[in-house]
Amino acid sequence: VDLRMTDSTAYTKLYSVFAFLYQNLRSRQARLALQSAFRGLADLNQDLVRVADLLESLNAYSTRRMEEPDFDRRLTAFATLNETLHSSLSAQEWLPILYNMLNFVQDPEELTIRANSSTSMKRFLDLVAVSGGDYEFVFLRNLYPGLKNGLRSKAEAFRVEILGILSYAIGHCDRISSLQDMRGLLADGDEEANFFNNVLHIQVHRRTRALRRLTDYCDEGKLRSGILAEIFVPLVGSFITSDASIDHLVVNEAITTIGRIAKHLQWSAYYGLIQQYLRLIRKKDASERLYVRKVVSLLENFHFPMTEEVEITETQQPDEPEDAVEAEETAAVVERKKTHIADAVNGKLLPAL
């Protein structure tokens, strides 16, 4: 295979795999090996040289301490990208950079790295907003799914960054309908009322108020089932845990919110959510009572006509992804068939309770 043919299927697949690995590989050794491989690809395609140089600097390690990042090199690279280079990069050049930022924004210790990574993704969103085209395609196919998966992370600092990026995208990318459905949650620029600014705010009353705004917005019928299931269900669900760091008022409000959201879910999302929490209940961990309350809230908001025909899909998937990488793994479909909701309730749902 001649990888110098940049329009070949082999080159495109290899480039995509290398780009994706910038999000997934964690260890110093693995990332340096990836960088070496990407440099080899750049040797065959000179158009990749500046991206390879940038990624090498963004992933630089100290020559004195083996496992410690070279912060001077990394921050200089961030400054170059965020201040000048960003506007001249093509959508394809951005691909490995975006995956790299989805990795960096999960850094549990370095706030500076997280903040700079968020800024880089916002620079890309500026291009999506202005130019659309290939930039919009990369956003919808690569960055947006990565952001949604990030909302399933157990690390609140990571979710805070993701919400900031998502809020920025909603405010700037006017042409993307799935984002514009959520625009009302920005509260016309009122920072005190902006859902995304407040749902993870340090003050408890601002979190509960944000959750109530979300339920009111749901009841206005402005959010589609897919958006609710992929963004707001995992976000609100992160509060429903026995973790002592989460205030009981927020937990109570989150359980109510999940029930109100359930009123607007399609059957597949609704049924899948109940099945997920029934599996968690069977684990009998410290959060069991909260999971029971959540299932009760979901059942109280059952809203489907029993004669409606729906498709039932049985899947095997992780209940609680540890991070964005695990969440991105697709579930294996076990069974798919059409049935009436009455049969699904009597044959599947009720026996499982």
Side-chain angles (χ1 to χ4, degrees):
V1 178
D2 188 355
L3 293 176
R4 289 172 293 185
M5 298 177 63
T6 58
D7 58 347
S8 68
T9 301
Y11 175 89
T12 302
K13 286 184 177 179
L14 189 60
Y15 182 78
S16 297
V17 168
F18 283 173
F20 185 63
L21 288 174
Y22 273 104
Q23 178 185 1
N24 293 338
L25 298 183
R26 309 282 178 172
S27 70
R28 174 184 182 275
Q29 183 178 4
R31 295 188 74 79
L32 290 178
L34 173 60
Q35 187 56 44
S36 177
F38 193 86
R39 175 64 68 181
L41 201 60
D43 289 341
L44 298 174
N45 177 12
Q46 291 301 304
D47 291 340
L48 287 182
V49 169
R50 64 175 179 170
V51 177
D53 290 342
L54 177 69
L55 289 168
E56 189 173 284
S57 296
L58 286 171
N59 290 280
Y61 286 89
S62 172
T63 55
R64 298 178 183 176
R65 299 180 180 177
M66 185 172 293
E67 294 297 327
E68 185 175 298
D70 186 335
F71 288 107
D72 288 340
R73 262 188 91 181
R74 293 191 181 201
L75 294 178
T76 298
F78 270 121
T80 299
L81 173 62
N82 293 338
E83 294 173 14
T84 58
L85 185 61
H86 62 91
S87 60
S88 65
L89 293 169
S90 70
Q92 278 302 103
E93 287 177 304
W94 265 103
L95 188 58
I97 298 171
L98 291 172
Y99 278 124
N100 193 86
M101 297 311 166
L102 286 171
N103 177 290
F104 279 6
V105 81
Q106 300 178 59
D107 191 315
E109 298 176 354
E110 297 298 336
L111 174 60
T112 303
I113 296 296
R114 292 202 305 271
N116 274 284
S117 299
S118 293
T119 300
S120 297
M121 287 186 270
K122 290 174 183 177
R123 294 288 181 266
F124 174 77
L125 290 170
D126 290 337
L127 294 170
V128 175
V130 172
S131 302
D134 290 342
Y135 295 102
E136 186 173 318
F137 178 80
V138 169
F139 171 76
L140 291 172
R141 184 179 181 184
N142 306 102
L143 181 56
Y144 193 26
L147 295 175
K148 288 187 285 190
N149 287 334
L151 293 174
R152 299 177 180 275
S153 171
K154 292 182 178 179
E156 185 168 295
F158 182 23
R159 296 199 303 275
V160 169
E161 296 293 346
I162 294 296
L163 282 179
I165 299 163
L166 190 58
S167 177
Y168 190 88
I170 294 166
H172 288 77
C173 301
D174 297 334
R175 288 188 295 266
I176 301 176
S177 61
S178 60
L179 294 179
Q180 291 314 298
D181 288 351
M182 297 180 276
R183 191 161 194 140
L185 292 172
L186 298 181
D188 295 322
D190 182 351
E191 297 299 316
E192 291 288 324
N194 184 318
F195 167 82
F196 300 96
N197 288 354
N198 289 282
V199 71
L200 293 177
H201 197 278
I202 191 171
Q203 295 177 332
V204 169
H205 75 276
R206 292 180 69 166
R207 293 191 181 203
T208 56
R209 193 167 59 192
L211 290 171
R212 286 194 289 272
R213 283 199 188 96
L214 174 61
T215 58
D216 292 341
Y217 195 69
C218 284
D219 287 343
E220 292 174 12
K222 295 181 178 179
L223 295 173
R224 286 172 277 184
S225 176
I227 293 174
L228 290 171
E230 294 174 359
I231 293 178
F232 295 104
V233 165
L235 177 61
V236 176
S238 67
F239 294 125
I240 304 174
T241 174
S242 61
D243 189 335
S245 66
I246 300 179
D247 190 276
H248 74 281
L249 294 175
V250 177
V251 174
N252 293 339
E253 194 67 48
I255 291 173
T256 300
T257 301
I258 282 290
R260 295 274 290 277
I261 287 175
K263 288 169 58 178
H264 305 280
L265 292 176
Q266 293 181 355
W267 171 257
S268 59
Y270 177 88
Y271 178 71
L273 188 58
I274 288 182
Q275 290 301 307
Q276 175 187 344
Y277 277 88
L278 289 177
R279 289 195 298 270
L280 288 173
I281 289 171
R282 287 194 286 270
K283 290 184 176 181
K284 298 187 180 299
D285 62 16
S287 300
E288 180 184 0
R289 293 179 64 184
L290 295 178
Y291 297 150
V292 170
R293 289 177 58 196
K294 182 170 180 177
V295 170
V296 170
S297 183
L298 293 171
L299 293 173
E300 287 175 343
N301 287 279
F302 183 94
H303 60 283
F304 303 95
M306 298 296 279
T307 56
E308 182 181 341
E309 188 177 65
V310 292
E311 189 174 77
I312 297 291
T313 302
E314 298 288 344
T315 60
Q316 298 292 334
Q317 62 183 12
D319 294 326
E320 292 290 334
E322 290 291 339
D323 53 33
V325 174
E326 183 180 339
E328 192 151 336
E329 296 176 359
T330 55
V333 176
V334 177
E335 183 182 8
R336 188 188 296 269
K337 63 180 181 180
K338 287 188 177 294
T339 186
H340 288 96
I341 285 182
D343 295 330
V345 170
N346 293 324
K348 295 281 187 180
L349 182 55
L350 290 179
L353 295 176

